[in-house]
Amino acid sequence: MDLTEQFAPFAARMRREGLPDLVIENFRHAYARLRAGETGVIPGSGALPVQDLPHCDDLGAEDARIGEEALGRTVVCKLNGGLGTSMGMSGPKSLLPVKDDLSFLDITARQVLHRRRQSGARLPLVLMDSFSTHQASLAALSVYPEFEQELPLDFVQNKVPKVAKAGLVPVDWPDDPEKEWCPPGHGDIYPSLITTGLLDDMLGAGYDVLFVSNADNLGAVLDERILGSFVRCGCPFLMEVTQRTPADSKGGHLARRPDGQLILRESAQCPPDEQDQFQDISLYRFFNTNNLWIHLPALRAALTASNGVLDLPLIVNEKAVDSTQPESPRVYQLETAMGSAISLFAGAQALVTPRNRFAPVKKNSDLLVLWSDVYQLLPDFTFALAAARGGSAPVVRLDDRYYGVFAEMEDRFPHGAPSLIGCESLSVIGDVRFGREVVVEGNVTIEWQGEGQLRIEDGARLRG
């Protein structure tokens, strides 16, 4: 049986869903690589450490001036396809409350509106939504009638079939057919920009820079100095990276091919016997913040040359078809990472930026830090660490048994977060409920294994 016959059931299923031909062709390309035995693994011999990179601190007034001039040619794009399922939500994670009853999406919208008023630039905001987040996110933005722009407020990323490990055929899961599908990773932004017509719309309206970041990363604000540096250097693709810490050791990192081209390597792409080197933060010093700057004419040229199929490194994720039933059939999810396009653009660069430009929320413990006095929401709706923090946030670990679901965490912090401005680390083990105006200082561990719930009294000061 040749590839055409093997892929036919996938193509038929995708056409029934109304997916565009280009999406089907991109998935066929990924499926062919899977059948050929490609695992996406990049050994250390092909991913050499990167030692020295330019730093954001070295950018100056000239970069800021160029950036201000380029604001009118720039589009802000937020990756907004995620549901907060890992935090017990069924809706868009970007609608979680963060500060002063404002959600991630509220704060992002107000940042952009403030920058428009301040600069006079048109500066559109565009969301890359999923089928699951599209309607709720647009409804949330509808409360801002002043959000008028010539570009649409969002475009919807695609979905692709899961591949059964047994036989490499489309998986069937009649109990919940939606679980037969998965997102193709945020690398799908590139074909989606074509199939929705948005890339042509942006270029036709005179935009030539796209700044992309995650919707749950409030540190990723548009910085005129970085924009100006990107425009001045004339490079096609710029990735913001930051120094890895022990907490980042298992995440993807920046590396360099033997020919000098920068690449991105994710943990799933590392050989199992090289995991120690992969996690060595003194060897691989930088990781991708997923804050990317893309020159739109260069992207159009690359997509035209490849007929819309960018040869992004393949990520093969093996999972159960139904994550709530670990014993359910094993499947492959074929994905690509948006940042891995750095390997496709000759002259692509990376810039080291401060840690405060990377503040994602993956768990409720991350959200608690944003709720607290560690972060301040400034008049321009940017987030900033309190000056007393010295540039770093505390490490907070909450027991997933009691704080893994957002509603459960909210119940255990009914008066909001405790004061963490003097805290270095907080670990909560067991079922603990916090009272009003609690203060945490230094390194604190609370462990409760008794009956019922431990209650921290109002005004308690926890030290040590």
Side-chain angles (χ1 to χ4, degrees):
M1 186 183 298
D2 63 14
L3 179 64
T4 300
E5 293 176 284
Q6 293 163 343
F7 188 68
F10 291 98
R13 181 172 290 196
M14 295 176 79
R15 289 194 180 97
R16 285 196 299 271
E17 287 289 311
L19 292 167
D21 288 343
L22 181 60
V23 176
I24 298 173
E25 181 57 25
N26 269 275
F27 188 67
R28 188 201 68 79
H29 180 66
Y31 180 73
R33 294 159 74 184
L34 176 70
R35 287 215 70 111
E38 186 172 334
T39 62
V41 168
I42 305 173
S45 59
L48 306 176
V50 176
Q51 297 303 324
D52 296 310
L53 291 171
H55 200 288
C56 185
D57 288 347
D58 297 327
L59 305 181
E62 180 64 10
D63 293 303
R65 183 191 66 77
I66 296 171
E68 288 171 5
E69 292 177 352
L71 277 176
R73 311 196 311 272
T74 302
V75 177
V76 175
C77 178
K78 289 288 185 178
L79 303 181
N80 190 52
L83 297 173
T85 50
S86 64
M87 299 165 69
M89 292 181 61
S90 58
K93 185 199 287 188
S94 62
L95 300 187
L96 277 169
V98 182
K99 209 80 164 177
D100 301 337
D101 293 324
L102 298 176
S103 69
F104 290 98
L105 196 52
D106 284 320
I107 293 170
T108 296
R110 294 180 187 212
Q111 285 175 358
V112 171
L113 290 171
H114 177 85
R115 189 63 62 87
R116 287 182 188 177
R117 289 191 294 267
Q118 186 184 52
S119 66
R122 45 189 181 166
L123 195 63
L125 169 67
V126 177
L127 308 178
M128 184 169 92
D129 280 325
S130 65
F131 289 102
S132 302
T133 63
H134 165 67
Q135 291 185 343
S137 298
L138 290 187
L141 285 179
S142 68
V143 303
Y144 299 97
E146 66 271 42
F147 230 116
E148 297 180 356
Q149 56 187 45
E150 57 196 319
L151 297 177
L153 282 171
D154 83 335
F155 63 105
V156 179
Q157 70 177 126
N158 300 294
K159 60 181 182 178
V160 296
K162 295 177 181 178
V163 181
K165 184 178 180 181
L168 300 185
V169 296
V171 70
D172 289 315
W173 194 243
D175 290 350
D176 187 352
E178 273 302 305
K179 290 190 168 62
E180 298 170 0
W181 299 87
C182 64
H186 39 62
D188 183 61
I189 187 174
Y190 304 116
S192 291
L193 285 173
I194 296 180
T195 57
T196 60
L198 185 56
L199 179 57
D200 288 337
D201 289 345
M202 290 189 291
L203 289 168
Y207 297 100
D208 59 12
V209 176
L210 184 66
F211 173 49
V212 190
S213 60
N214 293 340
D216 67 350
N217 180 11
L218 291 175
V221 297
L222 196 151
D223 186 306
E224 284 94 341
R225 293 181 309 150
I226 300 176
L227 171 58
S229 172
F230 177 65
V231 171
R232 179 172 52 79
C233 77
C235 69
F237 189 100
L238 176 70
M239 173 185 290
E240 293 185 36
V241 299
T242 196
Q243 292 276 356
R244 293 172 87 201
T245 69
D248 313 308
S249 62
K250 295 184 180 180
H253 59 231
L254 189 70
R256 198 182 295 277
R257 287 197 314 240
D259 65 2
Q261 179 71 39
L262 290 171
I263 64 172
L264 179 65
R265 184 168 66 152
E266 302 289 348
S267 58
Q269 296 172 297
C270 178
D273 60 348
E274 294 184 13
Q275 284 295 326
D276 287 345
Q277 294 97 316
F278 182 94
Q279 296 181 27
D280 185 346
I281 63 174
S282 64
L283 184 65
Y284 292 99
R285 297 170 49 203
F286 306 105
F287 75 92
N288 171 29
T289 64
N290 233 29
N291 301 346
L292 303 179
W293 302 79
I294 302 169
H295 185 237
L296 290 172
L299 177 61
R300 162 51 79 190
L303 287 166
T304 300
S306 64
N307 294 316
V309 182
L310 290 181
D311 195 20
L312 298 175
L314 181 66
I315 301 173
V316 180
N317 273 329
E318 182 182 334
K319 298 187 176 183
V321 63
D322 187 339
S323 59
T324 65
Q325 301 182 39
E327 72 287 353
S328 60
R330 305 300 291 177
V331 296
Y332 294 128
Q333 294 185 188
L334 306 186
E335 303 174 8
T336 56
M338 175 180 71
S340 66
I342 194 171
S343 66
L344 304 181
F345 291 94
Q349 296 186 15
L351 178 72
V352 182
T353 55
R355 185 77 184 200
N356 60 16
R357 288 187 62 78
F358 180 71
V361 173
K362 304 302 180 188
K363 303 180 72 172
N364 285 320
S365 51
D366 302 321
L367 184 60
L368 186 73
V369 178
L370 291 184
W371 280 0
S372 78
D373 52 5
V374 166
Y375 282 95
Q376 301 171 335
L377 187 60
L378 302 181
D380 61 357
F381 296 100
T382 58
F383 252 62
L385 279 167
R389 287 300 312 171
S392 64
V395 176
V396 173
R397 298 182 181 88
L398 302 177
D399 193 328
D400 285 341
R401 295 174 299 170
Y402 303 101
Y403 302 90
V405 174
F406 175 73
E408 293 177 347
M409 185 190 78
E410 205 173 26
D411 180 63
R412 287 165 174 79
F413 292 97
H415 309 291
S419 170
L420 300 175
I421 200 164
C423 172
E424 293 306 314
S425 69
L426 170 64
S427 294
V428 181
I429 303 165
D431 188 0
V432 181
R433 188 177 189 272
F434 284 70
R436 185 188 309 274
E437 297 179 355
V438 174
V439 177
V440 182
E441 297 176 339
N443 296 290
V444 172
T445 297
I446 303 170
E447 185 168 358
W448 172 248
Q449 297 182 5
E451 294 292 327
Q453 187 177 68
L454 174 67
R455 293 180 177 249
I456 306 297
E457 298 298 324
D458 293 350
R461 185 174 294 269
L462 311 177
R463 295 189 182 93

